[in-house]
């Protein structure tokens, strides 16, 4: 498994932000990060992308295992599994246009949004037809290379570009990826609007968890950019914060046997600074923040 990118939408630093953390990244005293995306494989030859960030070209070029070959148009990328229809998880699909025989898995509302609201389905098929598949099928599905996947609905938060979203639709899913050779299992949930019912049970089936670390605190975004609405971060963007009595750090403490890693870090998040007090706090809790390009085996 390779963490191709670990930042939230816009990356780190963001092009239009001069908050203290972004200024530190511009000065190169903090490490830059690309927008969140993961590559998984069960045999190191057939690779699947978990989400497709707008930075996917740079991420693929920076990762030797994902380079093309041996033929002039061969690629080890077999397809994409989407957790949602957000722009920072789908716009990278346009970079993959022209690749043949790719398969895309997503929940039904996401497939519909990519057909109507953000019509990538028709656009991509004009270059090379892909196989568009439902990810929430009962029992899961096998992926080339020895992986088995399943998608589990966790939120009804629709992207902003969808103007008539059903409040009951399963817009956001967590992915469960099992390596059938090692028995290791990853739960991948970069977008958690809350701690949904059944999520603890899902984590109990896994060895690794890669979860939403967008904001350290609920009031963080407004404070960092001097917003008139200090609660803008959590309420507007739908991400459960790390800290606090109902935050993910407390919830993840119920699963000490898991390897627990935060991803999708917003540019205002003090966890971007490994010397910060919040970074020390999660380290004491046994939770990690890893850099872009980090690799590990489940």
């Amino acid at each position: 498994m390779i963490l191709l990118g670990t930042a939230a939408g816009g990356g780190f630093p963001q092009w239009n932000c001069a908050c203290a953390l972004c200024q530190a990244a511009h000065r190169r005293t903090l490490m830059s990060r690309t927008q969140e995306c993961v590559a998984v494989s069960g045999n190191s030859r057939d690779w699947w992308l978990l989400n497709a960030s707008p930075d996917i070209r740079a991420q693929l070029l920076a990762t030797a295992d994902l380079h093309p070959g041996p033929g002039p148009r061969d690629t080890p990328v077999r397809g994409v599994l989407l957790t949602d229809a957000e722009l920072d998880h789908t716009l990278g699909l346009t970079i993959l246009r022209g690749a043949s025989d790719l398969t895309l898995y997503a929940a039904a509302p996401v497939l519909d949004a990519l057909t109507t609201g953000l019509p990538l389905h028709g656009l991509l098929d004009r270059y090379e037809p892909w196989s568009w598949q439902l990810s929430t099928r009962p029992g899961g599905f096998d992926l080339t290379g020895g992986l088995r996947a399943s998608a589990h609905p966790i939120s009804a938060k629709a992207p902003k570009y969808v103007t008539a979203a059903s409040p009951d639709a399963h817009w956001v899913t967590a992915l469960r990826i099992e390596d059938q050779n090692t028995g290791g299992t990853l739960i991948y949930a970069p977008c958690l609007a809350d701690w949904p019912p059944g999520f603890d049970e899902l984590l109990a089936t896994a060895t690794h968890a890669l979860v939403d670390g967008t904001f350290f605190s609920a009031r963080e975004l407004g404070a960092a950019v001097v917003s008139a609405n200090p609660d803008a971060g959590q309420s507007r963007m739908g991400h459960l914060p790390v800290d606090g009595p109902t935050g993910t750090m407390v919830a993840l403490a119920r699963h000490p046997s898991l390897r627990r890693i935060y991803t999708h870090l917003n540019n205002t998040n003090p966890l971007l600074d490994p010397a910060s007090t919040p970074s020390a706090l999660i380290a004491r809790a046994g939770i990690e923040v890893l850099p872009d390009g980090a690799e590990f085996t489940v």
Side-chain angles (χ1 to χ4, degrees), residues 169-210:
H170 297 313
W171 280 98
V172 183
T173 58
L175 296 173
R176 184 181 187 275
I177 309 293
E178 179 182 358
D179 188 322
Q180 295 181 296
N181 297 311
T182 67
T185 301
L186 168 74
I187 302 301
Y188 173 66
C191 294
L192 287 170
D194 55 21
W195 197 264
F199 196 58
D200 281 300
E201 290 76 7
L202 186 62
L203 290 174
T205 71
T207 57
H208 294 66
L210 188 59

Side-chain angles (χ1 to χ4, degrees), residues 85-124:
E86 298 291 346
L87 295 179
D88 58 321
H89 286 158
T90 57
L91 287 182
L93 297 174
T94 63
I95 304 301
L96 304 177
R97 69 189 184 278
S100 60
D101 300 325
L102 295 190
T103 302
L104 183 140
Y105 291 94
V110 176
L111 291 174
D112 182 64
L114 298 183
T115 302
T116 56
L118 185 71
L120 294 182
H121 189 161
L123 182 151
L124 293 169

Side-chain angles (χ1 to χ4, degrees), residues 3-273:
L3 303 186
L4 301 179
T6 53
F12 177 67
Q14 285 196 9
W15 70 274
N16 62 340
C17 184
C19 73
L21 288 168
C22 283
Q23 290 188 60
H26 283 300
R27 294 193 302 268
R28 300 188 179 181
T29 57
L30 288 180
M31 177 179 59
S32 296
R33 295 171 183 264
T34 59
Q35 294 170 91
E36 187 268 333
C37 185
V38 181
V40 295
S41 177
N43 61 6
S44 299
R45 295 186 305 275
D46 301 285
W47 289 88
W48 294 84
L49 303 178
L50 309 184
N51 291 327
S53 87
D55 297 320
I56 193 64
R57 178 184 178 275
Q59 292 167 341
L60 294 174
L61 293 178
T63 308
D65 284 338
L66 302 176
H67 288 178
R73 284 289 187 173
D74 291 342
T75 173
V77 176
R78 303 293 175 245
V80 182
L81 287 71
L82 296 177
T83 59
D84 52 69
E86 298 291 346
L87 295 179
D88 58 321
H89 286 158
T90 57
L91 287 182
L93 297 174
T94 63
I95 304 301
L96 304 177
R97 69 189 184 278
S100 60
D101 300 325
L102 295 190
T103 302
L104 183 140
Y105 291 94
V110 176
L111 291 174
D112 182 64
L114 298 183
T115 302
T116 56
L118 185 71
L120 294 182
H121 189 161
L123 182 151
L124 293 169
D125 280 354
R126 288 177 179 269
Y127 290 88
E128 286 284 349
W130 291 6
S131 176
W132 298 73
Q133 299 291 328
L134 185 66
S135 64
T136 53
R137 63 183 70 175
F141 47 95
D142 291 327
L143 300 174
T144 305
L147 301 177
R148 184 158 184 80
S150 56
H152 304 265
I154 57 173
S155 171
K157 181 186 179 296
K160 286 185 177 181
Y161 64 82
V162 175
T163 57
S166 167
D168 300 318
H170 297 313
W171 280 98
V172 183
T173 58
L175 296 173
R176 184 181 187 275
I177 309 293
E178 179 182 358
D179 188 322
Q180 295 181 296
N181 297 311
T182 67
T185 301
L186 168 74
I187 302 301
Y188 173 66
C191 294
L192 287 170
D194 55 21
W195 197 264
F199 196 58
D200 281 300
E201 290 76 7
L202 186 62
L203 290 174
T205 71
T207 57
H208 294 66
L210 188 59
V211 300
D212 189 344
T214 306
F215 299 113
F216 183 75
S217 67
R219 299 171 63 86
E220 165 190 313
L221 181 62
V225 299
V226 197
S227 168
N229 178 10
D231 292 317
Q234 186 179 4
S235 62
R236 187 180 70 187
M237 301 178 71
H239 292 281
L240 188 64
V242 169
D243 198 22
T246 61
T248 58
M249 184 165 56
V250 169
L252 287 172
R254 298 192 289 266
H255 303 275
S257 63
L258 275 178
R259 185 175 183 185
R260 297 156 295 174
I261 303 165
Y262 281 130
T263 191
H264 201 266
L265 304 172
N266 196 61
N267 64 298
T268 56
N269 192 328
L271 295 180
L272 292 165
D273 182 355

